[in-house]
Amino acid sequence: MTRHIVHAPRRRIRLFLLLAFGLSWIPWTVLGVLRVDVTSGAVQLVFGLAAAGPSLAALAMWLNDPVKRARRTVRPSRWLPLAVVLGVAPALATALVFHPAPGIAAHAGDMVASLGGPLVVLGFVLLAGPIAEEFGWRGWLQPRLRATRGRLSTALVVGAIWAVWHVPLFALEGTGQSRMPLEEVAVFFVSFLPLSVIALAVSERWRGGAWAAVALHAGVNAADGLLPTSGLGGALLQLLLTTAVAAVVLATWREAEPPSTTSWTRPSRRATG
């Protein structure tokens, strides 16, 4: 199976990051300075649009691409269920260690009811993070970094960028991060690294594309939002299980790494038709 790589000059990668962070961080900074609750009224719309910074940046970069790329073959429907399972499994296994199964089911049911029902929950877990972010991180950035980096290096770089992008959320009233216990903050940031490895696998190895990463991210969000929390011990166990899944994914990825391209060359006009 051939990996999906897209050659891009570093300046375009820097421009993408500037757009992704700017479109999110500038509005979030304003909301933070105003000290408004991001879950209230029109503020929620502003917050949500800002959260879509990565995917909006990817759209802007694609529209401004002087060389339109040929569409690659993806098979998202084949791997979407597995991606969801991989997103849910570590959190569910952790919850089962700390809570009885009937209590977990009751808690999840109460959360769904309090949020407005299954359709509202489905829309929330898809839009609040997965669709807003993954077309940027996994759809645009990841394949361009893969042109010059190996699997683990790409996953760790994207994961670190993904984690840093979330920093302002800790200063915004109404976000889950603003209510996160201090001792769990480090675990939260580290967890992006193994999750990024799994996202690379479902999007590239299994050719699920960005939609498979959306499914994985949605599974993570659904589990974190609906399952009961288990304190620092639970957060550490979930991180350990997620890391174990990432390690298995890498260990079983048998396809040899093709030679990486160390520089970007603009295609000739003849080559691009």
Side-chain angles (χ1 to χ4, degrees), residues 4-266:
H4 175 51
I5 61 174
V6 180
H7 301 288
R10 291 181 180 178
R11 61 179 177 79
R12 285 187 62 79
I13 293 177
R14 289 194 294 266
L15 178 58
F16 164 77
L17 293 175
L18 180 64
L19 286 172
F21 277 76
L23 289 171
S24 298
W25 280 23
I26 292 174
W28 285 347
T29 299
V30 173
L31 296 179
V33 170
L34 295 176
R35 301 185 65 82
V36 293
D37 189 328
V38 299
T39 63
S40 61
V43 176
Q44 190 171 12
L45 177 60
V46 175
F47 173 77
L49 288 174
S55 289
L56 291 176
L59 176 62
M61 296 301 294
W62 183 84
L63 292 174
N64 192 41
D65 192 345
V67 181
K68 292 297 187 288
R69 312 294 175 184
R71 297 182 65 181
R72 67 187 179 114
T73 301
V74 297
R75 301 168 182 168
S77 60
R78 180 180 177 183
W79 298 108
L80 290 183
L82 175 60
V84 173
V85 169
L86 290 176
V88 171
L92 180 58
T94 299
L96 288 170
V97 170
F98 288 88
H99 305 277
I104 294 173
H107 184 275
D110 291 342
M111 291 299 297
V112 170
S114 67
L115 291 171
L119 291 179
V120 175
V121 171
L122 179 62
F124 179 78
V125 299
L126 283 174
L127 293 174
I131 290 177
E133 299 175 33
E134 293 303 339
F135 292 99
W137 305 139
R138 250 58 65 169
W140 198 93
L141 180 60
Q142 178 180 280
R144 285 156 180 82
L145 291 180
R146 282 289 276 140
T148 57
R149 294 177 178 271
R151 297 173 190 131
L152 182 59
S153 175
T154 297
L156 294 181
V157 170
V158 175
I161 292 170
W162 187 22
V164 171
W165 177 82
H166 285 78
V167 168
L169 298 180
F170 287 86
L172 296 178
E173 296 183 21
T175 64
Q177 288 81 3
S178 67
R179 299 186 295 270
M180 185 177 294
L182 183 61
E183 63 271 16
E184 296 180 23
V185 172
V187 179
F188 172 80
F189 282 114
V190 173
S191 68
F192 285 95
L193 302 180
L195 278 174
S196 190
V197 172
I198 301 171
L200 176 66
V202 299
S203 59
E204 180 185 312
R205 178 186 181 183
W206 296 314
R207 299 179 69 179
W211 280 110
V214 167
L216 173 73
H217 197 155
V220 172
N221 282 7
D224 287 346
L226 300 180
L227 299 179
T229 58
S230 307
L232 179 59
L236 288 171
L237 177 57
Q238 184 173 336
L239 173 60
L240 178 63
L241 294 175
T242 305
T243 303
V245 172
V248 170
V249 165
L250 285 177
T252 57
W253 197 329
R254 299 301 183 186
E255 179 192 1
E257 286 270 30
S260 295
T261 302
T262 57
S263 62
W264 181 87
T265 304
R266 181 180 296 277

